[in-house]
């Protein structure tokens, strides 16, 4: 993030089985273990844990975190339409809205950073890795955690034997995120295509 | 001091009278002027004008009758066009456009002719000697190889005489009395010096379909290439089998001169960013020369491909270096049987590129890719840098990137490039890229992919009525797909197919819009 905010609140949501909570856990672990900051993770239990909208709340800060629940998020990651509908009001005006392009159809109210994460995961051979691709994308777009910390956290959280694949998935999302930022920058400078 | 050489092509009619008048008046024609009397300036082709430079002329003057006074009507106009094109070409080569001049005189203008001749001599002495060292037209250096050795290299003995090659050869299918199987058996029987064999060896398009089909894996195109090199050791291959009077071979031989300082990038549009310190070099190829040569004839515009390739690199934040003195990669010399001069070009290019400390060479031309990436090494010149095709770079960058494509309001079909189709690592790339585009429709031609039909010529060797028939067939196939835009990936395909579309007997029936894939991508790619 351009300006160093001392506390960043994140909501990751989607439907059950997308690895939403694992994504939240990796974000928090990377911040705490890799980047040596404070972090908390709260996962919502309730009807959503049975197939409906699923949610992980992560806070990353410089100082001890007193209250782990997120009311208004700086970063809202949505991986399903119902999750988006439910949480879209819980984002700060200057926050980042991040979505899976093929699964969420947002109303045109604010800027969206979208990535076809699930489609990319299919291309890589495992739909399950969409969450890891999403972490790569979030890392590149928001600089919430460092790339190195993210990779280490992934290595220690995913099942043995799948590290390589998951790192590849991370890279895919990360590169796409970088490219997205570059594209925005270029567009802002008036260069939309290759021909001047 | 070394003598200057000026070739004066002098028209038989008007100006020759003036010339004789000068001699009658006792004027000493400058000794550097070598006069060649010609029937009409319009008959002196670009190939002939250029050949004088190739052979070391310091200046060439073509002198004829005033426009309205041409005995044959349009001779002077033709000469004006040829002169203009030749001037552009020698300018690109860095020989200097001032060395080529056209002038017209009436029979009674001997004084003006005298002024012209002395003026030209003086100007040339100001310019100095031509930087061209003639590579010569003598037969190329002997390698000491025999036909038997070439046969053995490609294991041509394993030919089963099955005839699959002839049955798939597009030249044979267009009705030419031509058979790769016969060539093979003739050469095996020791008939390699027969006239018919010589002609057939030079008619082959080296497209490789026969090799694709051969059950014994006889690499016919490479066998043909080496046979050409062998047969041309004992004779000058000559213009007879080289279309455009052998102009292109002549041009490429000229580029073997160390001292010429080509300006092949001077046309570069302002919006393109290059970086003289980059470790990545963009190798352009001969497109600027093709455009200069075909300017009036078919409005070929292949430099657009280079500009668009560079724009695409820039789009992905690569600012490559350019080699100001880039020479031809040598593909056409090698494949027309002149290995000696091919080697000279290869060495020059590799030396220059290595001197710049380049690590990667990117090119958009399938022939440059094939030649620099493969043939240099095979012929004992280690490049020491990697060679990447632009499509490989693009596929990788687009795959990673947050980019998309603007809709293209066309139905497209695709002309395969022979050189690209025989390289496993890039064979799928054009179609992968095409699939990404937002076209209305992409429809393959009847013959496509590995069994695709050649555009009709390779290495400016052996263009004839049968290769024309083949081209017509190919363009009809393109029309049959219902497409309105033909996408190509080699600048030569554009040139040869465009030429076929001009066929006066077919009128406008064959016309179809063409664009190179690189340009199509460059014009529609955008950030998401
Ligand atoms: S296809 Fe191969 S084996 Fe058959 S005739 Fe031709 S060269 Fe011989
Ligand atoms: S390379 Fe092409 S033109 Fe030559 S013999 Fe084979 S199929 Fe015919
Ligand atoms: S097809 Fe090609 S080689 Fe033949 S005349 Fe046309 S441009 Fe020249």
């Amino acid at each position: 993030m351009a300006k160093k905010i001392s506390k960043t609140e994140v909501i990751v949501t989607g439907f059950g089985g997308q690895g939403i909570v694992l994504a939240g856990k990796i974000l928090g672990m990377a911040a705490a273990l890799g980047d040596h900051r404070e972090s908390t993770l709260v996962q919502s239990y309730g009807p959503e844990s049975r197939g409906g909208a699923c949610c992980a709340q992560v806070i990353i800060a410089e100082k001890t975190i007193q209250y782990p629940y997120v009311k208004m998020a700086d970063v809202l990651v949505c991986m399903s339409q119902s999750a988006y509908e439910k949480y879209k009001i819980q984002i700060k005006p200057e926050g980042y809205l991040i979505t899976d392009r093929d699964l969420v159809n947002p109303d045109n109210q604010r800027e969206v950073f979208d990535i076809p994460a699930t489609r990319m995961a299919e291309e890589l051979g495992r739909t399950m890795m969409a969450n890891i691709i999403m972490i790569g994308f979030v890392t590149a777009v928001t600089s919430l955690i460092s790339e190195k910390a993210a990779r280490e956290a992934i290595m220690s959280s995913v099942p043995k034997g799948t590290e390589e694949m998951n790192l590849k998935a991370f890279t895919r999302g990360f590169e796409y995120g970088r490219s997205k930022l570059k594209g925005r920058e270029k567009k802002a400078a008036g260069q939309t295509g290759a021909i001047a | 001091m070394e003598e200057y050489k000026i070739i004066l092509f002098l028209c038989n009619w008007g100006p020759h009278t003036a010339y004789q008048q000068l001699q009658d008046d006792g004027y000493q024609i400058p000794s550097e002027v070598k006069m060649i009397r010609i029937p009409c300036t319009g008959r002196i082709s670009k190939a002939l004008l250029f050949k004088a430079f190739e052979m070391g002329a310091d200046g060439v003057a073509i002198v004829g009758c005033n426009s309205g006074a041409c005995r044959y009507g349009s001779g002077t106009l033709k000469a004006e066009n040829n002169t203009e094109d030749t001037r552009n070409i020698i300018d690109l080569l860095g020989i200097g456009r001032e060395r080529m001049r056209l002038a017209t005189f009436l029979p009674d203008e001997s004084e003006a002719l005298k002024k012209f001749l002395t003026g030209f001599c003086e100007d040339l002495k100001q310019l100095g000697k031509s930087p061209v060292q003639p590579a010569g037209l003598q037969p190329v250096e002997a390698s000491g190889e025999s036909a038997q050795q070439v046969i053995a290299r490609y294991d041509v003995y394993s030919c089963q005489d099955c005839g699959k090659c002839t049955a798939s050869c597009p030249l044979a299918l267009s009705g030419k009395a031509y058979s790769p199987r016969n060539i093979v058996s003739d050469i095996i029987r020791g008939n390699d010096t027969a006239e018919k064999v010589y002609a057939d060896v030079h008619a082959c398009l080296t497209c490789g379909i026969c090799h694709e089909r051969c059950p014994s894996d006889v690499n016919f195109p490479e066998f043909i290439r080496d046979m050409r090199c062998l047969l041309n050791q004992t004779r000058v291959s000559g213009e007879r089998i080289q279309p455009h009077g052998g102009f292109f071979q002549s041009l490429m031989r000229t580029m073997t001169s160390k001292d010429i300082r080509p300006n092949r990038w001077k046309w570069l549009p302002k919006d393109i960013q290059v970086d003289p310190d980059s470790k990545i070099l963009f190798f352009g190829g001969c497109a600027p020369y093709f455009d200069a040569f075909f300017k009036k004839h078919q409005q070929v515009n292949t430099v657009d491909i280079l500009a668009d390739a560079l724009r695409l690199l820039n789009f992905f934040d690569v600012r490559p270096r350019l080699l100001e003195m880039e020479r031809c990669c040598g593909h056409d010399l090698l494949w027309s049987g002149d290995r000696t001069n091919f080697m000279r070009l290869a060495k020059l290019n590799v030396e220059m590129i290595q001197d710049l400390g380049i690590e990667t060479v990117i090119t958009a031309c399938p022939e440059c890719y094939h030649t620099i990436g493969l043939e240099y090494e095979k012929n004992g010149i280690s490049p020491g840098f990697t060679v990447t095709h632009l499509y490989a770079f693009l596929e990788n960058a687009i795959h990673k990137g947050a980019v998309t494509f603007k809709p293209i309001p066309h139905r497209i079909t695709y002309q395969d490039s022979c050189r690209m189709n025989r390289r496993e690592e890039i064979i799928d790339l054009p179609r992968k890229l095409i699939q990404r585009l937002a076209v209305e429709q992409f429809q393959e031609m009847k013959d496509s992919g590995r069994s695709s039909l050649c555009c009709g010529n390779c290495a400016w060797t052996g263009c004839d009525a049968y290769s024309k028939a083949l081209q017509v067939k190919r363009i009809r196939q393109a029309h049959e797909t219902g497409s309105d835009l033909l996408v190509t990936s080699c600048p030569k395909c554009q040139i040869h197919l465009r030429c076929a579309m001009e066929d006066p007997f077919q009128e406008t029936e064959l016309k179809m819009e063409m664009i190179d894939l690189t340009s199509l991508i460059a014009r529609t790619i955008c950030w998401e």
Side-chain angles (χ1 to χ4, degrees):
Chain A
M1 234 172 249
K3 52 183 167 33
K4 193 86 179 166
I5 304 168
S6 61
K7 189 163 110 182
T8 312
E9 306 188 33
V10 186
I11 297 178
V12 187
T13 86
F15 43 77
Q18 277 181 317
I20 297 297
V21 176
L22 179 64
K25 185 180 151 215
I26 291 173
L27 286 175
M29 268 175 68
L33 302 179
D35 295 338
H36 307 297
R37 301 165 75 190
E38 298 289 331
S39 73
T40 58
L41 166 70
V42 177
Q43 41 181 308
S44 43
Y45 292 99
E48 52 261 46
S49 58
R50 289 176 193 88
C54 174
C55 168
Q57 303 180 11
V58 181
I59 300 180
I60 296 171
E62 304 308 320
K63 288 187 280 182
T64 313
I65 300 157
Q66 311 288 359
Y67 180 74
Y69 294 96
V70 176
K71 269 235 168 72
M72 293 299 278
D74 297 287
V75 178
L76 173 63
V77 182
C78 297
M79 292 186 68
S80 80
Q81 186 69 29
S82 56
Y84 168 74
E85 299 297 350
K86 185 164 170 198
Y87 289 96
K88 67 181 176 190
I89 41 161
Q90 273 178 266
I91 179 168
K92 291 182 188 164
E94 71 286 2
Y96 285 96
L97 173 61
I98 296 178
T99 66
D100 184 313
R101 182 191 306 160
D102 299 331
L103 303 180
V104 179
N105 203 354
D107 16 282
N108 299 324
Q109 312 235 330
R110 55 155 62 232
E111 191 187 29
V112 185
F113 286 89
D114 56 355
I115 174 172
T118 307
R119 189 166 8 125
M120 285 174 171
E122 270 163 19
E123 277 168 26
L124 286 173
R126 270 186 218 201
T127 329
M128 278 157 53
M129 292 192 310
N131 59 343
I132 305 293
I133 294 178
M134 192 51 106
I135 291 173
F137 187 62
V138 171
T139 307
V141 170
T142 65
S143 303
L144 185 61
I145 50 175
S146 69
E147 185 192 347
K148 185 164 164 282
R151 286 181 185 278
E152 285 165 4
I154 289 170
M155 284 292 273
S156 60
S157 318
V158 299
K160 288 276 155 291
T162 66
E163 293 95 337
E164 197 81 344
M165 292 269 298
N166 279 292
L167 285 184
K168 225 172 121 188
F170 174 84
T171 308
R172 187 88 171 84
F174 188 76
E175 279 173 345
Y176 188 82
R178 280 226 174 134
S179 176
K180 192 98 175 176
L181 286 183
K182 191 166 87 185
R184 298 255 156 135
E185 226 170 79
K186 294 219 171 183
K187 267 197 202 159
Q191 297 163 279
T192 43
I195 308 267
Chain B
M1 201 175 104
E2 219 194 316
E3 251 245 71
Y4 279 75
K5 289 195 266 316
I6 299 172
I7 304 298
L8 170 66
F9 290 107
L10 187 68
C11 164
N12 208 7
W13 302 97
H16 191 260
T17 313
Y19 189 83
Q20 274 180 323
Q21 185 64 52
L22 282 182
Q23 287 175 315
D24 289 351
D25 294 348
Y27 171 68
Q28 196 60 49
I29 305 287
S31 62
E32 48 269 49
V33 174
K34 320 282 181 224
M35 191 268 282
I36 300 169
R37 195 168 148 181
I38 52 167
C40 172
T41 52
R43 300 298 293 166
I44 305 303
S45 64
K46 284 175 260 193
L48 283 171
L49 290 174
F50 187 79
K51 185 135 282 170
F53 288 107
E54 186 208 343
M55 294 175 75
D58 299 296
V60 175
I62 181 159
V63 171
C65 307
N66 301 40
S67 226
C70 173
R71 190 170 198 277
Y72 307 101
S74 59
T76 310
L77 184 67
K78 192 114 209 286
E80 280 167 7
N81 287 342
N82 284 342
T83 303
E84 189 47 33
D85 291 353
T86 307
R87 286 174 65 119
N88 288 339
I89 289 161
I90 58 177
D91 189 42
L92 276 169
L93 265 175
I95 296 175
R97 61 188 312 126
E98 286 312 308
R99 293 184 191 271
M100 167 84 240
R101 278 186 201 176
L102 168 83
T104 56
F105 301 99
L106 294 170
D108 59 0
E109 290 179 327
S110 57
E111 267 313 304
L113 174 61
K114 181 167 135 192
K115 255 176 117 177
F116 170 77
L117 288 178
T118 41
F120 193 26
C121 289
E122 276 165 25
D123 290 352
L124 280 177
K125 282 174 191 161
Q126 291 282 319
L127 278 172
K129 295 279 298 169
S130 158
V132 177
Q133 296 115 7
L137 280 177
Q138 66 275 25
V140 293
E141 281 160 31
S143 64
E145 210 175 35
S146 68
Q148 300 308 313
Q149 279 167 297
V150 178
I151 292 170
R153 183 176 318 132
Y154 296 105
D155 194 20
V156 179
Y157 290 120
S158 68
C159 168
Q160 311 166 24
D161 216 27
C162 71
K164 285 203 165 72
C165 48
T166 308
S168 61
C169 169
L171 271 186
L173 290 176
S174 66
K176 190 175 167 83
Y178 171 89
S179 154
R181 186 185 57 87
N182 273 344
I183 300 177
V184 164
S185 62
D186 268 334
I187 295 175
I188 288 182
R189 274 188 281 123
N191 275 352
D192 51 291
T193 49
E195 235 3 83
K196 166 86 172 127
V197 174
Y198 184 83
D200 282 354
V201 163
H202 286 85
C204 170
L205 304 164
T206 72
C207 68
I209 293 195
C210 51
H211 181 203
E212 204 65 52
R213 298 287 154 83
C214 174
S216 293
D217 194 27
V218 173
N219 191 335
F220 197 76
E222 297 205 356
F223 169 64
I224 284 289
R225 180 195 61 205
D226 290 7
M227 279 309 296
R228 285 180 185 172
C229 291
L230 185 78
L231 295 178
N232 289 321
Q233 287 176 6
T234 48
R235 59 198 282 179
V236 176
S237 59
E239 294 79 61
R240 199 163 44 85
I241 46 161
Q242 294 171 347
H244 308 290
F247 168 82
F248 290 98
Q249 280 82 359
S250 185
L251 172 72
M252 286 152 195
R253 279 192 300 266
T254 307
M255 287 192 219
T256 63
S257 293
K258 272 206 173 63
D259 296 339
I260 58 168
R261 296 266 170 281
N263 314 302
R264 61 163 77 182
W265 293 106
K266 67 177 177 101
W267 53 271
L268 202 69
K270 291 278 171 291
D271 63 299
I272 289 168
Q273 299 169 352
V274 291
D275 172 7
D277 297 320
S278 178
K279 297 274 173 244
I280 300 174
L281 180 95
F282 180 74
F283 194 93
C286 291
Y289 295 100
F290 300 150
D291 292 3
F293 186 85
F294 288 111
K295 193 177 84 208
K296 297 249 166 28
H297 181 48
Q298 11 159 332
Q299 288 149 4
V300 168
N301 208 353
T302 52
V303 295
D304 279 0
I305 305 172
L306 307 196
D308 288 337
L310 286 164
R311 288 188 179 113
L312 282 168
L313 290 173
N314 284 175
F315 179 81
F316 286 111
D317 282 335
V318 174
R319 287 170 200 85
R321 184 170 190 158
L322 298 176
L323 181 57
E324 211 36 68
M325 289 197 280
E326 183 189 307
R327 305 296 210 268
C328 165
C329 69
H331 175 277
D332 293 350
L333 284 180
L334 181 63
W335 289 85
S336 53
D338 183 352
R339 178 166 271 135
T340 308
N341 285 307
F342 160 74
M343 292 294 280
R344 289 194 184 132
L345 287 178
K347 280 187 194 134
L348 261 177
N349 276 325
V350 167
E351 266 169 33
M352 289 189 292
I353 296 173
Q354 282 176 346
D355 279 352
L356 303 180
I358 295 299
E359 287 160 7
T360 307
V361 168
I362 300 182
T363 179
C365 170
E367 294 185 338
C368 295
Y369 175 75
H370 177 85
T371 307
I372 305 174
L374 200 71
E375 299 285 3
Y376 282 12
E377 190 84 59
K378 270 202 205 161
N379 284 279
I381 300 168
S382 301
F385 44 79
T386 55
V387 183
T388 306
H389 193 284
L390 179 74
Y391 293 171
F393 169 87
L394 287 179
E395 176 56 30
N396 185 33
I398 294 172
H399 176 74
K400 282 192 211 164
V403 297
T404 180
F405 294 87
K406 285 181 241 158
I408 300 163
H410 288 285
R411 296 177 307 276
I412 65 166
T413 186
Y414 173 65
Q415 166 69 29
D416 283 273
S417 131
C418 298
R419 289 295 171 262
M420 196 164 237
N421 260 7
R422 310 294 160 223
R423 291 294 297 277
E424 286 306 325
E425 72 282 13
I426 52 170
I427 186 166
D428 299 328
L429 287 177
R431 284 184 176 76
K432 271 195 187 163
L433 289 166
I434 287 175
Q435 297 299 348
R436 294 181 180 279
L437 299 175
V439 292
E440 274 178 15
Q441 175 193 307
F442 169 49
Q443 181 68 48
E444 294 276 13
M445 285 186 250
K446 182 161 168 269
D447 297 304
S448 67
R450 283 171 191 270
S451 50
S452 159
L453 282 184
C454 170
C455 70
N457 191 274
C458 173
W460 310 104
T461 299
C463 178
D464 65 9
Y466 297 100
S467 51
K468 276 275 160 284
L470 152 68
Q471 292 176 310
V472 170
K473 178 172 160 193
R474 186 58 168 168
I475 297 169
R476 292 224 164 100
Q477 285 191 349
H479 281 290
E480 279 159 18
T481 61
S483 304
D484 57 1
L485 183 63
L486 176 54
V487 179
T488 57
S489 55
C490 174
K492 301 262 187 75
C493 292
Q494 291 253 338
I495 295 169
H496 301 309
L497 289 175
R498 217 176 272 274
C499 171
M501 287 180 194
E502 308 257 300
D503 188 331
F505 295 108
Q506 315 288 343
E507 294 179 354
T508 55
E509 187 204 317
L510 295 177
K511 288 262 188 286
M512 187 165 186
E513 234 190 285
M514 271 193 277
I515 190 168
D516 191 273
L517 181 54
T518 300
S519 297
L520 196 57
I521 296 174
R523 281 161 209 197
T524 57
I525 198 169
C526 56
W527 295 105
E528 270 179 14

